Amino acid sequence: MLLINIIFFIITIFLNINIGRCTVTVNAIAFTYDTNGEVYSFIVKDFNDYSKENNLDIILNLNLFTPSNSTTNINDYGSMVEQLLTKRSERYDIYFYDNIYSTRFGSHFLNLEKILDEDHIKMYNEDVISLSCTYNGVYVGLPVTLDYTVLYSNSILLEKYNKTIPTTWDELIETGKYIKERENNSDLIVYNGAFATTEIGTCSLYEFIYSCRDTKESEFPELTSETAIKAIEKIKEIKEEISSDSTYQMSYFIISDKLAKADLSILFIKYWYSKPSSSFIKFSPLPGLHEGVSGSTIGGYNIAITKYSNMKKRNEVIKVFKYITSKDMQRKLILEKALFSLIPSLYNEKDLCEKVDCEFYKKIQLIPRPTTVTDDYSIYSEQFRGKIYEYLFGEKKASEVMSELEDISKIYYITLRSNSSIGLIFLIVIIILSIIMLSSLILPSVRKYKNHFKFQKKETWYMIVLGLVIIMNSSFIELGEKTEAKCQFRYIILSYGVTLVYVPILYRLIINFPAENMLSNWVKDHQFWMVYIFMIIDTILGIGLLLVPYDVEKVIVPEGKNYEECKLNNNTGLAILIIMLVIKFIIFIGLTLLVFIEWNMTKTIYDIRLISGSLFIVFFSGIIQLIINKLGINYIDTYITHSIIYIALSLSNYVLLYGIRVVYMFKPVLSEEDKMMEKIHQDKSKSSTTDQKLSSSDTSNSASNSRSSIAYHKILNFHFQKN
């Protein structure tokens, strides 16, 4: 019995120890063209050994796809990863992905700046990882393996003709042409270029343009710049001098096979770096247009942590990530697998540089592919090489294809410095008109002119003209790059402008209502309260609109110039916008009804006609605006049309509501005519009063007793009645 108790006690202790130290499995997924998966196998084994030695109780399990164990290629792998991430799968914690897909997958990965020390990220080459490892300006991945292109040279042929490895493109042309003429071998590949119809073609084009910049410190040139145009002209020159269409477009697998077999029929070959299979094959950085300037597109894989990883093991997943991206692991990959690292400080370590050629690595001038240019890099990459190939293998001009290429990704917008000067022209016109309109506000304060502005109080004229100026100046929001703030303020500013113009008019028409009522009395007693109430409503709705996100969406125009437009995809924001529009609609319906009722009021007969013209212009402008938005015209025409609408709306309303009074003010003859017309209307009013009363009585007797019928007939009576 004692023995049984002892055994039970030992088993209990053993179970408690194991329960307290449960091993966590971190799952990762990767793809490689290396059928043996040497690099990933090395990483997994090294981490698991490290975990065991340090009692981390973590096991890294990798599901590795290769051409030998699946039919998956890099595009299929990308689609599979996207499907897993879209479904928020918890199956994998860590993803190894092609570095061109940071933009494509970035929204599903953790922000590394929140889980890593700042120094951990900073030890990497910021110029490169800021382009290949970020999503919306946030680091979501770090490089694990890195591919880069180099120039392979046949040292046997170079020594035979006493030539050296070229460091400039002109030198490559000269050396290649010299050896080609003397070898007289039709099978000799002088330079392959690697301009195939696949992704490698984009890499070759991009790095070649980069290699033609002026200095080592220069950034990637603008596509329409002289530097970029000369670069692709140099590509064509090389093809015509020492290569051919077929050689430029030769399959990369054929080139790879020739390098692997150390084929003597090659002189210069551009290919991803790997250990040469023969001593006579020498490698060096790719040439440039100028001595000391080069370029090499990067490939390879990043590592990231999915947001959907099980939170219970998040700490363990981060530990795995930190180790794989550590300087120690990168050092091992350099020494054991001859990989290139994006941690520059490693190439200053004396022990490491005794075993690898650090000076060679320092000469490599890396350039990431333009993965952040568009939301879908794969489509952009295809268009990028396709356009340039229209020059390289076709008849188009270099400047023409580069201009068309820029249009594929560039977002166009009107600025004050744009070549067309449209923005500057509208700026000058609007400023001049605004000054004229605001300056004219002094007139209602001049005693001898007050009679011409008696329809409104002096303060309300200020509101009306200021509102018109605000509406006209709202076109400035269309200038420059679209931002969320601009999208939000566009409707807010227009709302304030409309309120300032039309609520004072509504206020005046309510006071002038031909029959006494509670609303008219309240408005008359509280003067500007009606305007204040609507302004407060605008402010509340405006604040609400500022709190909801706006989307700035790209409008891709095939064979045209792309632009951006504001999209409100938030339900709360849409509700606020609808409320704002409904309120303005109610204001205009109220104005229309009151204009109809007060149509024949003698003392305001001309004002009513002018207001009706103003309302017609507003409704007409609204219809035109809706039509334009539906047509989806180009960005220049959109800006011009919107600006013209705002200017025309403001200017025409200024003339109708205010400016025409200035004209009458300087024509006293017309004022006398106004008095005569007013007298005639008064006489007509007296003579027709009896008839109207009889008509009103008959109408009342014949009408139904329903409220709607009574209201209808009252409105008609008011409309025809002359006061």
Side-chain angles (χ1 to χ4, degrees):
M1 186 67 180
L2 179 62
L3 180 62
I4 292 173
N5 288 334
I6 293 172
I7 293 172
F8 180 76
F9 179 73
I10 293 172
I11 291 173
T12 302
I13 293 174
F14 179 77
L15 288 173
N16 286 333
I17 292 173
N18 279 276
I19 290 171
R21 297 182 58 184
C22 180
T23 300
V24 175
T25 300
V26 174
N27 295 306
I29 184 172
F31 172 84
T32 179
Y33 282 113
D34 177 9
T35 54
N36 297 318
E38 289 186 7
V39 172
Y40 290 107
S41 299
F42 176 83
I43 291 173
V44 172
K45 183 178 183 305
D46 189 78
F47 173 80
N48 287 333
D49 290 344
Y50 169 79
S51 176
K52 187 175 181 180
E53 291 169 5
N54 292 274
N55 299 317
L56 298 182
D57 297 313
I58 304 172
I59 294 177
L60 176 60
N61 178 50
L62 177 67
N63 187 6
L64 181 64
F65 291 87
T66 70
S68 63
N69 66 14
S70 71
T71 58
T72 302
N73 58 37
I74 185 61
N75 291 328
D76 294 335
Y77 175 71
S79 298
M80 179 176 64
V81 168
E82 187 170 41
Q83 188 176 21
L84 287 167
L85 293 172
T86 302
K87 291 182 177 179
R88 300 173 175 263
S89 173
E90 296 183 8
R91 183 175 178 182
Y92 298 105
D93 308 295
I94 287 176
Y95 285 82
F96 293 91
Y97 66 97
D98 192 302
N99 57 34
I100 67 173
Y101 290 142
S102 287
T103 303
R104 183 177 176 183
F105 302 146
S107 62
H108 302 285
F109 295 149
L110 289 182
N111 180 352
L112 298 181
E113 296 171 47
K114 293 183 178 180
I115 60 175
L116 299 178
D117 296 334
E118 186 178 358
D119 292 340
H120 192 96
I121 298 175
K122 279 191 171 182
M123 67 181 177
Y124 283 86
N125 185 327
E126 184 181 0
D127 292 337
V128 178
I129 67 170
S130 63
L131 296 174
S132 63
C133 300
T134 58
Y135 171 77
N136 284 346
V138 173
Y139 286 105
V140 293
L142 286 176
V144 176
T145 65
L146 191 73
D147 295 327
Y148 56 99
T149 50
V150 295
L151 181 71
Y152 291 93
S153 302
N154 185 332
S155 63
I156 294 177
L157 286 176
L158 290 176
E159 291 171 5
K160 179 180 177 180
Y161 295 101
N162 195 30
K163 295 291 183 178
T164 59
I165 295 173
T167 56
T168 67
W169 294 117
D170 287 335
E171 190 180 346
L172 180 123
I173 293 173
E174 181 186 350
T175 301
K177 195 173 182 180
Y178 183 88
I179 295 175
K180 179 183 179 182
E181 291 173 351
R182 283 154 182 77
E183 280 294 299
N184 194 25
N185 179 2
S186 59
D187 293 329
L188 178 66
I189 297 175
V190 181
Y191 181 64
N192 68 316
F195 298 106
T197 56
T198 57
E199 178 62 21
I200 188 60
T202 302
C203 296
S204 300
L205 291 168
Y206 208 71
E207 68 191 7
F208 197 104
I209 295 172
Y210 188 65
S211 74
C212 292
R213 65 200 192 280
D214 295 329
T215 66
K216 184 179 178 180
E217 291 73 28
S218 300
E219 296 182 351
F220 189 90
E222 293 287 336
L223 293 176
T224 53
S225 67
E226 187 179 351
T227 300
I229 292 171
K230 283 185 176 180
I232 66 169
E233 288 175 342
K234 182 63 69 176
I235 297 174
K236 194 164 189 174
E237 181 185 347
I238 294 171
K239 184 196 71 169
E240 293 173 347
E241 292 287 343
I242 61 175
S243 191
S244 64
D245 287 2
S246 58
T247 302
Y248 260 25
Q249 296 180 311
M250 187 177 291
S251 169
Y252 226 49
F253 293 106
I254 296 176
I255 297 299
S256 175
D257 186 60
K258 286 182 177 293
L259 279 174
K261 295 177 179 178
D263 194 330
L264 287 170
S265 66
I266 58 175
L267 178 56
F268 299 120
I269 292 293
K270 187 196 84 87
Y271 194 71
W272 298 109
Y273 172 78
S274 62
K275 286 184 178 180
S277 57
S278 175
S279 59
F280 81 86
I281 300 292
K282 305 296 182 182
F283 60 89
S284 63
L286 287 169
L289 191 63
H290 307 290
E291 187 77 33
V293 181
S294 180
S296 181
T297 305
I298 67 168
Y301 286 81
N302 293 346
I303 182 175
I305 301 174
T306 173
K307 291 179 178 178
Y308 318 121
S309 172
N310 193 322
M311 287 298 297
K312 293 181 179 179
K313 57 178 179 179
R314 178 63 56 82
N315 290 333
E316 287 76 13
V317 172
I318 293 173
K319 287 179 182 178
V320 173
F321 184 93
K322 283 183 177 179
Y323 182 81
I324 293 176
T325 58
S326 67
K327 183 179 285 189
D328 289 339
M329 174 58 80
Q330 289 289 297
R331 186 184 296 109
K332 290 177 183 178
L333 291 173
I334 293 173
L335 294 171
E336 300 292 334
K337 298 300 175 182
L339 294 183
F340 184 53
S341 175
L342 280 176
I343 302 179
S345 60
L346 286 171
Y347 296 106
N348 294 321
E349 294 183 359
K350 184 178 179 181
D351 293 342
L352 185 143
C353 293
E354 288 176 353
K355 299 175 183 178
V356 300
D357 187 355
C358 290
E359 290 305 312
F360 164 74
Y361 288 113
K362 289 179 181 180
K363 291 178 182 177
I364 299 296
Q365 296 169 31
L366 299 171
I367 178 69
R369 281 167 279 179
T371 56
T372 58
V373 170
T374 64
D375 295 332
D376 194 331
Y377 170 74
S378 298
I379 293 177
Y380 175 75
S381 175
E382 185 178 345
Q383 293 174 328
F384 181 89
R385 60 180 178 269
K387 280 294 177 186
I388 297 181
Y389 286 174
E390 288 179 13
Y391 161 74
L392 199 56
F393 304 111
E395 301 297 327
K396 280 193 173 183
K397 294 181 180 180
S399 57
E400 182 183 357
V401 298
M402 296 306 275
S403 178
E404 292 175 356
L405 180 57
E406 185 179 46
D407 288 342
I408 292 173
S409 60
K410 185 175 180 179
I411 300 299
Y412 287 86
Y413 41 84
I414 301 293
T415 67
L416 298 179
R417 297 180 180 179
S418 59
N419 295 331
S420 63
S421 299
I422 292 172
L424 184 60
I425 292 171
F426 275 105
L427 172 67
I428 294 171
V429 170
I430 291 172
I431 288 176
I432 292 173
L433 290 175
S434 297
I435 292 173
I436 293 172
M437 292 165 67
L438 292 173
S439 299
S440 67
L441 285 175
I442 194 173
L443 297 175
S445 299
V446 179
R447 180 177 297 178
K448 65 178 180 178
Y449 301 140
K450 283 183 178 181
N451 190 51
H452 297 277
F453 299 95
K454 62 184 180 181
F455 179 71
Q456 293 277 13
K457 291 179 179 293
K458 178 176 62 176
E459 293 80 7
T460 50
W461 283 125
Y462 295 164
M463 291 180 186
I464 291 171
V465 175
L466 179 61
L468 292 171
V469 171
I470 289 173
I471 291 172
M472 184 166 59
N473 281 268
S474 64
S475 63
F476 289 143
I477 296 178
E478 305 282 343
L479 285 175
E481 186 177 357
K482 282 280 193 302
T483 63
E484 185 179 1
K486 286 184 178 180
C487 293
Q488 292 167 325
F489 275 105
R490 181 177 59 170
Y491 290 111
I492 296 172
I493 290 174
L494 284 173
S495 182
Y496 275 123
V498 171
T499 296
L500 285 172
V501 174
Y502 289 102
V503 172
I505 297 174
L506 181 65
Y507 155 83
R508 184 61 185 176
L509 294 183
I510 291 174
I511 292 176
N512 289 348
F513 194 81
E516 188 174 341
N517 60 82
M518 291 179 61
L519 179 61
S520 296
N521 292 333
W522 185 90
V523 170
K524 185 183 295 184
D525 293 339
H526 293 82
Q527 294 192 358
F528 299 111
W529 269 100
M530 186 174 177
V531 179
Y532 298 153
I533 289 171
F534 278 98
M535 292 291 288
I536 291 170
I537 293 172
D538 278 343
T539 302
I540 294 171
L541 294 175
I543 292 172
L545 208 56
L546 289 173
L547 296 176
V548 298
Y550 251 95
D551 294 329
V552 179
E553 295 185 357
K554 296 177 182 178
V555 179
I556 305 301
V557 183
E559 303 299 325
K561 298 186 184 299
N562 307 324
Y563 61 96
E564 293 176 329
E565 64 179 9
C566 300
K567 288 288 185 181
L568 185 56
N569 297 320
N570 182 282
N571 290 333
T572 303
L574 286 172
I576 293 172
L577 197 58
I578 290 171
I579 293 171
M580 192 177 287
L581 292 173
V582 167
I583 291 173
K584 296 299 179 283
F585 182 75
I586 291 172
I587 291 173
F588 284 113
I589 291 297
L591 283 169
T592 304
L593 181 61
L594 288 171
V595 164
F596 182 80
I597 289 173
E598 301 175 24
W599 187 254
N600 283 305
M601 289 184 67
T602 305
K603 63 179 180 179
T604 58
I605 191 167
Y606 298 118
D607 297 296
I608 293 298
R609 266 53 171 185
L610 295 173
I611 292 170
S612 66
S614 172
L615 293 175
F616 174 78
I617 290 171
V618 171
F619 288 126
F620 182 74
S621 300
I623 292 170
I624 296 296
Q625 187 89 338
L626 288 173
I627 293 173
I628 290 169
N629 292 339
K630 292 293 181 182
L631 288 177
I633 56 180
N634 66 62
Y635 79 106
I636 295 179
D637 292 341
T638 299
Y639 175 77
I640 292 174
T641 309
H642 284 178
S643 297
I644 290 175
I645 288 174
Y646 294 142
I647 293 173
L649 180 65
S650 299
L651 190 58
S652 60
N653 276 283
Y654 172 79
V655 171
L656 287 172
L657 300 176
Y658 187 85
I660 199 168
R661 301 169 194 278
V662 178
V663 175
Y664 272 71
M665 185 176 64
F666 293 103
K667 293 186 177 181
V669 176
L670 292 178
S671 296
E672 294 298 326
E673 290 179 359
D674 288 345
K675 292 177 181 179
M676 291 175 64
M677 289 298 296
E678 184 175 345
K679 185 178 180 181
I680 292 170
H681 279 293
Q682 287 175 351
D683 293 339
K684 287 184 177 181
S685 176
K686 291 177 181 178
S687 63
S688 60
T689 301
T690 305
D691 294 338
Q692 286 183 21
K693 287 181 179 180
L694 292 172
S695 175
S696 176
S697 176
D698 293 340
T699 303
S700 300
N701 293 332
S702 61
S704 65
N705 291 326
S706 65
R707 291 184 179 180
S708 60
S709 179
I710 293 172
Y712 172 74
H713 285 284
K714 279 187 177 181
I715 290 173
L716 285 179
N717 286 337
F718 286 137
H719 173 72
F720 290 107
Q721 181 178 337
K722 297 184 183 296
N723 296 324

